[in-house]
Amino acid sequence: MKLIFENSYGTERVIAYPNDEAEAIKEIHKFCENHNFKIYYVRSWMSGNRRKYDCGSWNEFFYLELEKGEIWEENANHIG
């Protein structure tokens, strides 16, 4: 898996390679803390083949994307 941050200009960059969604959420919190952004909520949904995370910014998002050979767990407990 790879965790991607999309800034307000639509530019994406990989910020972590988590093993599961719980680890991805921790990385999102860590990233926001390092950039002085306070998270009040996290919403998530599938957007194409990626899981999209809204953390309170109307124009910046995070995406969790599978790497080659990985599959989404059907019964995973999604956070958001």
Side-chain angles (χ1 to χ4, degrees):
M1 299 180 147
K2 61 182 171 181
L3 182 62
I4 299 163
F5 172 70
E6 177 186 21
N7 69 17
S8 60
Y9 298 104
T11 304
E12 294 183 356
R13 65 182 166 123
V14 176
I15 60 168
Y17 292 92
N19 293 314
D20 55 30
E21 188 174 21
E23 191 175 319
I25 295 295
K26 288 178 186 177
E27 291 293 335
I28 288 171
H29 281 274
K30 185 168 119 182
F31 180 88
C32 289
E33 183 178 310
N34 289 339
H35 290 86
N36 298 316
F37 184 81
K38 182 140 176 88
I39 296 176
Y40 292 98
Y41 67 87
V42 176
R43 296 184 310 143
S44 68
W45 62 93
M46 290 303 293
S47 177
N49 63 343
R50 310 190 298 179
R51 190 140 192 92
K52 185 175 186 174
Y53 298 89
D54 169 10
C55 298
S57 172
W58 64 275
N59 61 352
E60 295 181 325
F61 300 95
F62 295 89
Y63 297 92
L64 187 58
E65 189 174 285
L66 298 179
E67 302 261 50
K68 187 175 181 175
E70 294 179 322
I71 58 171
W72 289 109
E73 293 181 29
E74 289 185 33
N75 297 322
N77 292 325
H78 296 293
I79 301 168

